[in-house]
Amino acid sequence: MTYQEIVELTAEHVMYTYKRLPVAFVRGEGCKLWDAEGQEWLDFVGGIAVCSQGHCHPKVVAAIREQAGLIMHTSNLYYIGPQARLAEKLCRISFADKVFFCNSGAEANEAAIKLARKYAEVHYGPQRHEIIAARGSFHGRTMTTLTATGQEKFHQHFHPLMPGFEHVDLNDLEALRAAITPQTCAVLLEPVQGESGVRPCAAEYLPAVRELCDEHELLLILDEIQCGLGRTGKWFAYEHYGVKPDIMTLAKALGGGFPIGACACTDQVAAAFEPGDHATTFGGNHLACAAALAALEALEEEGLIENSARVGAYLRGGLQGLEAKFPLIREVRGMGLMAALELDRPGAADIQAELFDRQILVNAIGDRIVRMVPPLCVTEAECDRLLEALEGALGKMEA
Ligand SMILES: *Cc1c(COP(=O)(O)O)cnc(C)c1O
C-alpha cells in the first residue's frame, strides 16, 4: 500500500478519533523507523513510552514467533506457563507478591480500583470506597479510569462520570490530608505524571503520602504504566522515592510493543480477590506473556535501565543547555528518559512540526509542552541530533 492509499482508506473507514501526523511507518529497529516511502526517521516518542526495548527487539520478535507457533491462547480456565513465569519475574523485580494480567493500562487501573474497593469492603465495610487521585493525572479512557483521570478536557461530553473519585493538586500534602474522609479507601498517583507533560511527584511528597496512607489505613496505588519498567532509570519510579505502594499498575513497555497490562500487589491486598471477582478473556495469554518475558529480559540483559539513567541525564543536560540559551523555555522536566520542555507561550505543535520536517519524532502536549519518551536504547549521538534540531526550531521561533 502507498502512503496515499493508507490515508484514503483510513479517512473512509476508520473512526475519526485520532488527529494523525502525515506519515505511515512500515518498519522499525531500535530508535529508527522507516516510512512507506523508505525514508528513515529518528523516534523520540517510542510508541508513547511503549517501545522501550527499541522497535522490533530481536529477543521479543523471536519469543513472539516461537510462542505463536506453539499456542497463543487457551483462556484462564486453564494454567498458563508463560503467565506464571512472567508473574514470578515481576514479583522478583518489584515490591509485589501477586499479579493480575490484562491487556492495557486502563484495564490494569480498573483491576486496581476494583481490588482496592474489595479490600476496603472486606476490612472496613462497604462505606469505604472513595479514591483520591491527582489533578493532571491520566489513568485511562474507560468510564472509571476516565473519572479517575484528573483532567477536565477528557471528561467533556461523557457525563455522568462514575461516583467515588476526588481530585487534589499534586504535591500538596495538606490538600490530600484534607480530602481524606471515612469513605476514602485508596490514593491513586502516578509517581511521574506522563500525559499532562512529565510532572514528577516532589521528593518529599510520595514518602509523606505513604505515611498518610498508613496512618489512615488507605491503600497506595501507583500507576507506573508510563513511568515504570526502566523509563526513569530504575525498574520502577517509586524506587526513587524510597517508598513501596500496595498496588502498582503496568502496561505500555511491558510487552515490548505487544499489548499487555498488569496489576501487581502485596499478598495482603491480593487476598481480597476470590475466584469470580475479576477476569478477562485475553489477559495473560501465552503470546502476550511470552512477549513480556522477553521484553523484561531485554531491558535487563542489555543494560537498558542503566542506559535510561545515563542517556536520560545527558538529554536533560542538553535540554537545560537550551533552556539557558532560549528564554522562551519556561522549564525542563524529567527523570531518566522521560523528558519534557515547557514553553512560556504556545508553540509546542510548531516545534513538533519543525522536527517532523527533519524526520525526528517528538510529542506535543497541549500547546506549550514537548515530551520525549524515546526507546531506552537511545544513544548520546541520537540525543545530539535531537538537540541540534530543537535548537534550530527554537531559534526560528524566537526570531
Ligand atoms: C497510557 C496510560 C494509561 C492508559 O493505558 P492504555 O493502555 O492506553 O489504556 C494509564 N495510565 C498512565 C499513566 C498512562 O500513561
Side-chain angles (χ1 to χ4, degrees), residues 57-93:
H57 190 284
K59 213 174 157 115
V60 178
V61 172
I64 290 172
R65 283 205 171 115
E66 190 188 346
Q67 189 62 54
L70 287 171
I71 191 163
M72 293 188 231
H73 175 86
T74 55
S75 104
N76 287 296
L77 292 169
Y78 317 105
Y79 286 95
I80 300 169
Q83 182 182 118
R85 287 177 53 214
L86 178 59
E88 181 209 21
K89 176 81 186 169
L90 283 173
C91 292
R92 195 160 60 225
I93 59 174

Side-chain angles (χ1 to χ4, degrees), residues 47-339:
I48 317 185
V50 166
C51 308
S52 290
Q53 298 76 3
H55 291 280
C56 297
H57 190 284
K59 213 174 157 115
V60 178
V61 172
I64 290 172
R65 283 205 171 115
E66 190 188 346
Q67 189 62 54
L70 287 171
I71 191 163
M72 293 188 231
H73 175 86
T74 55
S75 104
N76 287 296
L77 292 169
Y78 317 105
Y79 286 95
I80 300 169
Q83 182 182 118
R85 287 177 53 214
L86 178 59
E88 181 209 21
K89 176 81 186 169
L90 283 173
C91 292
R92 195 160 60 225
I93 59 174
S94 76
F95 76 97
D97 303 309
K98 294 280 194 293
V99 188
F100 175 87
F101 292 106
C102 49
N103 312 290
S104 68
E107 282 175 81
N109 283 333
E110 287 276 349
I113 291 162
K114 285 181 70 175
L115 179 59
R117 287 203 173 147
K118 177 86 195 285
Y119 178 87
E121 186 195 73
V122 167
H123 291 271
Y124 313 105
Q127 77 287 349
R128 265 219 195 185
H129 59 265
E130 276 185 14
I131 292 166
I132 304 174
R135 297 208 174 90
S137 62
F138 183 83
H139 299 296
R141 303 287 202 133
T142 62
M143 280 313 303
T144 303
T145 57
L146 179 69
T147 306
T149 293
Q151 299 187 66
E152 295 286 327
K153 65 174 179 184
F154 294 115
H155 294 167
Q156 257 179 60
H157 317 300
F158 301 111
H159 290 268
L161 301 177
M162 307 300 286
F165 289 88
E166 288 292 329
H167 291 97
V168 295
D169 285 342
L170 187 71
N171 292 329
D172 184 342
L173 189 70
E174 289 319 307
L176 179 60
R177 193 193 306 278
I180 296 171
T181 72
Q183 282 76 52
T184 309
C185 84
V187 174
L188 167 60
L189 292 172
E190 292 161 84
V192 185
Q193 291 186 342
E195 293 309 295
S196 64
V198 185
R199 299 178 192 277
C201 283
E204 66 287 356
Y205 179 69
L206 260 196
V209 171
R210 175 72 271 181
E211 256 179 56
L212 201 56
C213 287
D214 291 342
E215 190 184 316
H216 293 267
E217 297 184 272
L218 309 177
L219 294 180
L220 176 59
I221 308 171
L222 293 182
D223 178 341
E224 294 237 9
I225 289 166
Q226 185 159 158
C227 62
L229 297 169
R231 174 60 51 191
T232 66
K234 292 187 187 286
W235 266 119
F236 301 102
Y238 68 74
E239 296 173 51
H240 291 282
Y241 296 88
V243 301
K244 287 177 183 166
D246 300 293
I247 304 175
M248 167 176 75
T249 52
L250 300 171
K252 291 206 161 83
L254 181 55
F258 199 88
I260 179 168
C263 171
C265 67
T266 60
D267 269 328
Q268 189 189 338
V269 175
F273 264 174
E274 291 168 20
D277 278 340
H278 198 47
T280 148
T281 297
F282 290 125
N285 68 66
H286 298 74
L287 189 55
C289 291
L293 263 169
L296 294 180
E297 280 166 20
L299 289 178
E300 206 160 37
E301 287 168 10
E302 285 173 33
L304 295 182
I305 302 173
E306 294 77 7
N307 196 67
S308 173
R310 197 188 73 247
V311 181
Y314 181 83
L315 174 60
R316 214 159 36 254
L319 293 172
Q320 280 158 353
L322 293 177
E323 186 183 18
K325 199 160 168 184
F326 295 99
L328 62 86
I329 297 179
R330 202 185 78 82
E331 193 175 35
V332 169
R333 292 187 293 268
M335 234 184 194
L337 282 169
M338 192 171 179

